[in-house]
Amino acid sequence: MLRYLLSKLWTFVPTFIGVTIISFAFIRVLPGDPIIVMAGERGVTPERYQELMHQFGFDQPIHVQFWNYLTGVLQGDLGTSYVTKKPVWDEFFALFPATLELSICAIIIAIALGIPAGVIAAVNRGKFFDRALMSTALIGYSMPIFWWALLLIIVFSGNLGWTPVSGRISLMFFFDNVTGFMLIDSLLSGQKGAFASAVHHLVLPSIVLATIPLAVIARQTRSAMLEVLSEDYIRTARAKGLSPLRVNGLHALRNAMIPVITVIGLSVGTLLAGAILTETIFSWPGIGKWMVDSIFRRDYPVVQGGLLLVAVAVMLVNLVVDLLYGLINPKIRKR
Amino acid sequence: MADTTTPTRPSRLAEFWQYFSENRGAVIGLYVFAFFVILALGADFIAPHDPTVQNRSATLQPPFWQEGGSLEYLLGTDPLGRDILSRLLHGARYSFFVGVVVVVIASFGGIVIGLVAGFAPKWLDTIIMRIMDIVLSFPSLLLALVLVAILGPSLLNAMIAIAIVLQPHYVRLTRAAVMTERSKDYVIASKVAGAKLTRLMFKTVLPNCLAPIIVQAALSFSNAILDVAALGFLGMGAQPPTPEWGTMLAEAREFILRAWWVVTFPGLAILITVLSINLMGDGLRDALDPKLKRS
């Protein structure tokens, strides 16, 4: 197992360096002088231009710039935002819990509904339930989620008035930021109604973000279950007279889980891409909205640092998924 | 009278159609898709109005079945008094155009790189695949967004960005297919017979790797349409007054609580198009990929 772990970690290193190069190169290699862009329509004087070039280190050779950037990154220095003048690292970790909270809720919804839906569809293969569930899954899979979000806002916020349109909690409540997770912090604050308000704000964005992973998980669970259900040991279990619930739920599902876990791991990237749209629409103060805002403000250090950190987050999750495989399936470890 | 003709194998196309048409959803998807393509091609003749002409006396008119709507504007008008139906019809062109261009660029580049990786010595293969891993570790929409931000927001740049982001999937798929084909007897025979490397790559091996690539093409066609719409929605794709569906949604956002139709119809158009392509994709997979058949 240790060897497997090390070999996995080893492939992590070149990918990490590559990701650093890409996020570094974006601003320097592609057309457009960052300082001219930063200055915008006001323009800069030649003296000020030189000064800024020196300040940001753009006057040094490219390999020196990269080396400085890489050593900075490894020490947790990703530069300073042009707009807020705060370190990118600090901004990222202040906002990350909001995205994490949203993503965790979304993935819980997706798993809690997707796996049972897939199992039910597989067990009722070709029957009404199967068709209905799989048609719904395909619609979910094809859904432009930014539009889906707007529709939900029209119905639940506009017509029914059940949920708020934006933010993480009602402005009535104010409490210390302990964990960064609104659900936990609102409970810790002990204020009446704070937790309910946080939940209210979380419902629509989580549903929107969960939609595509839910559809993918349901489809994958169904096809994995169908494969397993035709195995001999399932027939044996049935012949033993075990209840269908036990056969399908325990014997079959457990063995169908490996491809499903892959899909769940892969959907982390989808979640982060979805978070960009979801957070923008619901004004959710997380990483996705932060990145979009920074792109519009041309706040390059933030775009650069954010891109790198998001990619590293995705890579770490993939690494964990790979390691989980090794734990679940010893065959993979030996390869 | 005895039938003297020997039974012939059905042509490949007929065989394909037989499997494809077994999947009823796929056939429905094909019809819907074809219908939309015809609408898009004939937009100039079918659309009742010019998609960019503003009628200040008819802003935010509801669809004809609602009170206040008129038959002149079947699906209502947007905040600037433009006919939504005409904009949707013209917008379909952009979506299909984007889909086709992105798939062509991404698949062409991806197939060539994948073939090279599959035939190359191990070190080159490793380098290529690592680069693909790196591209894949960025969430696709985020990478496209940053690319467009740097290249400048426009439909063309959005297409380029999305093609770059989708390309690694083709590389992986092609390489994996090449790896399984490469050691088969017919390839070795061809090599022994003196076939050059390019011939081996493009004439001998590639045709036998096409099935999963075609399925992937269908998938990335729908992905491209969704992503371009998403970029348009974020203001980084086609720029107003282009009647691109995502851009239409972005312009309509502030009116969602007042005029449901300006938001509903463009999104519905995206959903139906993407759904029909995905239905076809499932059918293609059933027909072309024997491993996944009937799963």
Side-chain angles (χ1 to χ4, degrees):
Chain A
M1 188 64 206
L2 186 68
R3 198 151 161 212
Y4 176 73
L5 184 81
L6 286 177
S7 72
K8 280 287 157 199
L9 280 175
W10 180 239
T11 59
F12 189 82
V13 175
T15 320
F16 173 77
I17 294 176
V19 167
T20 319
I21 293 177
I22 287 192
S23 65
F24 170 82
F26 260 130
I27 290 154
R28 286 159 184 87
V29 178
L30 290 164
D33 187 320
I35 292 182
I36 304 274
V37 171
M38 234 189 304
E41 285 164 9
R42 281 171 298 151
V44 285
T45 59
E47 298 85 58
R48 180 79 185 126
Y49 180 83
Q50 289 304 326
E51 205 181 298
L52 283 171
M53 283 291 273
H54 185 71
Q55 189 189 328
F56 293 115
F58 289 148
D59 52 351
Q60 285 167 322
I62 196 97
H63 62 272
V64 178
Q65 285 187 40
F66 179 68
W67 180 250
N68 291 342
Y69 180 67
L70 187 65
T71 46
V73 165
L74 291 175
Q75 293 166 30
D77 173 19
L78 289 161
T80 316
S81 161
Y82 293 161
V83 179
T84 61
K85 312 285 178 212
K86 277 195 245 164
V88 174
W89 186 265
D90 295 357
E91 285 205 337
F92 182 88
F93 283 98
L95 296 170
F96 191 58
T99 301
L100 202 59
E101 185 173 46
L102 182 59
S103 307
I104 291 174
C105 288
I107 203 77
I108 289 174
I109 295 175
I111 294 172
L113 297 178
I115 292 182
V119 173
I120 292 172
V123 173
N124 296 294
R125 182 182 187 179
K127 292 187 197 146
F128 172 76
F129 264 127
D130 182 23
R131 296 229 177 109
L133 284 170
M134 284 307 116
S135 312
T136 317
L138 194 66
I139 292 174
Y141 181 65
S142 312
M143 187 66 81
I145 62 165
F146 43 100
W147 177 65
W148 178 227
L150 295 178
L151 279 192
L152 291 177
I153 290 177
I154 292 182
V155 174
F156 291 103
S157 307
N159 294 352
L160 297 169
W162 287 357
T163 53
V165 180
S166 65
R168 290 181 78 188
I169 195 157
S170 164
L171 293 172
M172 280 160 49
F173 301 102
F174 190 80
F175 41 79
D176 287 339
N177 187 352
V178 184
T179 56
F181 294 93
M182 208 43 96
L183 290 178
I184 299 173
D185 285 357
S186 61
L187 274 182
L188 288 179
S189 78
Q191 291 177 43
K192 211 174 157 227
F195 182 71
S197 171
V199 172
H200 259 109
H201 281 79
L202 194 56
V203 172
L204 282 193
S206 320
I207 292 175
V208 168
L209 195 54
T211 305
I212 289 179
L214 168 58
V216 174
I217 290 172
R219 278 162 65 102
Q220 185 67 55
T221 308
R222 175 179 180 270
S223 71
M225 276 294 282
L226 284 180
E227 208 154 284
V228 172
L229 283 177
S230 60
E231 299 275 347
D232 287 344
Y233 63 82
I234 295 296
R235 202 175 39 199
T236 313
R238 284 206 186 111
K240 275 200 306 194
L242 294 181
S243 71
L245 193 69
R246 212 178 153 78
V247 174
N248 297 325
L250 208 69
H251 292 237
L253 184 60
R254 196 198 273 169
N255 288 295
M257 277 322 281
I258 288 185
V260 178
I261 290 175
T262 321
V263 171
I264 294 174
L266 285 176
S267 58
V268 172
T270 324
L271 276 180
L272 283 167
I276 295 171
L277 293 163
T278 314
E279 289 181 1
T280 309
I281 293 169
F282 289 99
S283 302
W284 187 266
I287 299 301
K289 187 173 183 311
W290 178 61
M291 289 294 291
V292 172
D293 290 346
S294 309
I295 287 170
F296 275 103
R297 291 189 210 128
R298 309 233 160 229
D299 193 348
Y300 283 137
V302 173
V303 176
Q304 192 175 24
L307 200 59
L308 177 65
L309 289 173
V310 168
V312 170
V314 173
M315 281 159 58
L316 282 176
V317 173
N318 289 344
L319 189 70
V320 171
V321 173
D322 273 353
L323 295 179
L324 272 181
Y325 276 171
L327 279 180
I328 299 172
N329 190 352
K331 264 193 263 172
I332 296 173
R333 230 183 297 163
K334 298 250 170 61
R335 241 182 257 161
Chain B
M1 208 164 36
D3 194 347
T4 49
T5 54
T6 48
T8 50
R9 218 171 140 253
S11 76
R12 279 177 87 169
L13 198 67
E15 194 188 21
F16 165 77
W17 178 251
Q18 192 200 329
Y19 280 123
F20 185 81
S21 57
E22 265 175 32
N23 186 332
R24 211 159 21 126
V27 178
I28 296 172
L30 180 67
Y31 288 146
V32 174
F33 182 76
F35 179 66
F36 268 54
V37 170
I38 292 169
L39 286 184
L41 289 176
D44 282 338
F45 309 103
I46 303 167
H49 297 271
D50 186 303
T52 50
V53 164
Q54 306 177 1
N55 181 356
R56 295 284 169 162
S57 59
T59 55
L60 286 180
Q61 267 200 12
F64 73 93
W65 62 86
Q66 264 203 345
E67 213 186 310
S70 71
L71 282 175
E72 200 190 341
Y73 299 106
L74 286 177
L75 296 182
T77 57
D78 71 358
L80 296 174
R82 294 173 295 195
D83 180 38
I84 290 184
L85 178 63
S86 309
R87 287 178 70 71
L88 286 179
L89 289 171
H90 281 271
R93 286 185 175 183
Y94 291 96
S95 287
F96 289 120
F97 176 67
V98 163
V100 170
V101 173
V102 167
V103 168
V104 168
I105 300 176
S107 61
F108 183 77
I111 289 170
V112 171
I113 300 175
L115 278 173
V116 169
F119 277 97
K122 190 149 188 295
W123 62 270
L124 185 59
D125 177 39
T126 311
I127 292 178
I128 292 176
M129 294 324 286
R130 264 301 153 257
I131 294 175
M132 295 304 134
D133 283 351
I134 291 164
V135 177
L136 282 175
S137 43
F138 295 100
S140 60
L141 187 63
L142 183 62
L143 192 58
L145 201 58
V146 174
L147 276 172
V148 173
I150 291 167
L151 295 171
S154 75
L155 192 63
L156 177 72
N157 289 341
M159 291 193 301
I160 296 173
I162 293 164
I164 292 176
V165 171
L166 290 177
Q167 178 157 293
H169 297 286
Y170 287 95
V171 177
R172 281 193 166 180
L173 216 54
T174 311
R175 177 179 169 273
V178 169
M179 288 295 190
T180 50
E181 293 298 315
R182 216 176 57 168
S183 55
K184 287 193 181 161
D185 287 345
Y186 74 93
V187 182
I188 294 169
S190 172
K191 206 192 252 171
V192 171
K196 274 197 213 130
L197 188 62
T198 45
R199 189 188 166 84
L200 270 182
M201 278 160 78
F202 291 98
K203 279 212 118 153
T204 317
V205 170
L206 182 60
N208 293 298
C209 304
L210 278 180
I213 295 172
I214 292 172
V215 177
Q216 177 66 31
L219 270 179
S220 51
F221 198 102
S222 59
N223 267 336
I225 290 179
L226 275 179
D227 283 355
V228 162
L231 287 177
F233 180 75
L234 290 170
M236 285 290 185
Q239 297 299 304
T242 314
E244 197 272 323
W245 293 340
T247 315
M248 284 173 74
L249 275 174
E251 290 175 68
R253 240 182 99 182
E254 40 185 313
F255 300 95
I256 55 170
L257 295 180
R258 279 204 278 145
W260 58 269
W261 57 92
V262 289
V263 176
T264 309
F265 294 127
L268 206 56
I270 302 174
L271 174 62
I272 294 173
T273 311
V274 172
L275 188 59
S276 71
I277 298 168
N278 284 342
L279 279 169
M280 282 197 300
D282 279 2
L284 281 175
R285 194 193 53 196
D286 288 355
L288 292 173
D289 205 335
K291 252 184 291 175
L292 295 166
K293 226 170 252 181
R294 268 111 265 101
S295 66

